Amino acid sequence: MLGKQIRTFAANEVIFLEGQMGDCAYLIETGRVLVFLMKDGEEVPLKVLGKGEIFGEMSMIDNSPRSASCRTLSEVRLATVTQEQLLNRIQSTDPIVRLLMRALLDRLRVQNDGLRGKSISKSPLQTDKLNREKQEA
C-alpha cells in the first residue's frame, strides 16, 4: 500500500499547527489525536481521531496551509503519506469524485474560518469559477 515511514509521538505532543505548510498526511496506526483550532488563545476542539483515520490531507490536496492543529492525546504511531502518494490515488479516481472532494475541502476551510471568527470571503473554488466565467465572457 504505502512505502511506510513511521513516526511516533509521546502523549500531549503537537504534530503540526494550523497555518503551517504541510509536507505529508498521517494515518493513525495506534493512539488518539485531537484536531483543534485556536480562537482567542483557546483551543477549540474539532474531532478526536483514532486508529485507521487519516489527517493532514487537506494541505496535501489543495496546497494550502494547514487548516487546523493536531496534538496527541496518547502515545501515537503514525504512518506518513506523502503528497505524491495521495495525489496519485486521487488522480486515478473519477473526475466527479475529485470535484466533490475539492468542494468539500473548500466548504470545510470556510467553516473553519467561521469558527475562528474570520470574515468569510470567497473560497478558492468560488474564485476559480469566477475567473473561468470571466475568461469565457
Side-chain angles (χ1 to χ4, degrees):
M1 181 180 142
L2 300 173
K4 281 191 180 181
Q5 180 182 353
I6 302 298
R7 293 190 61 191
T8 57
F9 292 85
N12 205 34
E13 195 171 341
V14 172
I15 300 167
F16 57 76
L17 296 170
E18 65 186 87
Q20 293 177 333
M21 291 306 293
D23 61 351
C24 66
Y26 298 96
L27 180 62
I28 302 173
E29 291 193 344
T30 62
R32 293 177 34 223
V33 172
L34 173 68
V35 181
F36 66 95
L37 301 175
M38 292 300 292
K39 181 178 180 181
D40 301 326
E42 298 288 326
E43 284 186 9
V44 178
L46 298 177
K47 182 153 174 106
V48 174
L49 304 173
K51 182 178 180 175
E53 294 188 273
I54 192 167
F55 64 97
E57 75 289 346
M58 289 174 59
S59 184
M60 301 293 90
I61 294 168
D62 64 8
N63 289 311
S64 294
R66 303 277 194 196
S67 66
S69 298
C70 290
R71 175 174 53 79
T72 60
L73 295 175
S74 63
E75 184 176 313
V76 298
R77 178 180 161 98
L78 306 172
T80 60
V81 181
T82 67
Q83 185 173 32
E84 181 181 8
Q85 290 169 324
L86 190 59
L87 293 180
N88 283 342
R89 284 167 174 78
I90 291 170
Q91 289 304 319
S92 67
T93 63
D94 183 281
I96 292 174
V97 173
R98 290 194 304 266
L99 181 61
L100 174 64
M101 186 181 330
R102 180 140 183 213
L104 291 172
L105 285 176
D106 186 55
R107 290 178 191 151
L108 185 54
R109 285 191 182 280
V110 169
Q111 181 182 22
N112 286 353
D113 284 346
L115 287 172
R116 281 188 210 94
K118 292 183 178 179
S119 62
I120 298 176
S121 60
K122 291 208 181 346
S123 67
L125 195 58
Q126 291 169 322
T127 302
D128 288 350
K129 183 179 176 185
L130 289 173
N131 288 338
R132 280 194 309 272
E133 288 171 355
K134 286 178 186 177
Q135 289 174 351
E136 291 171 2

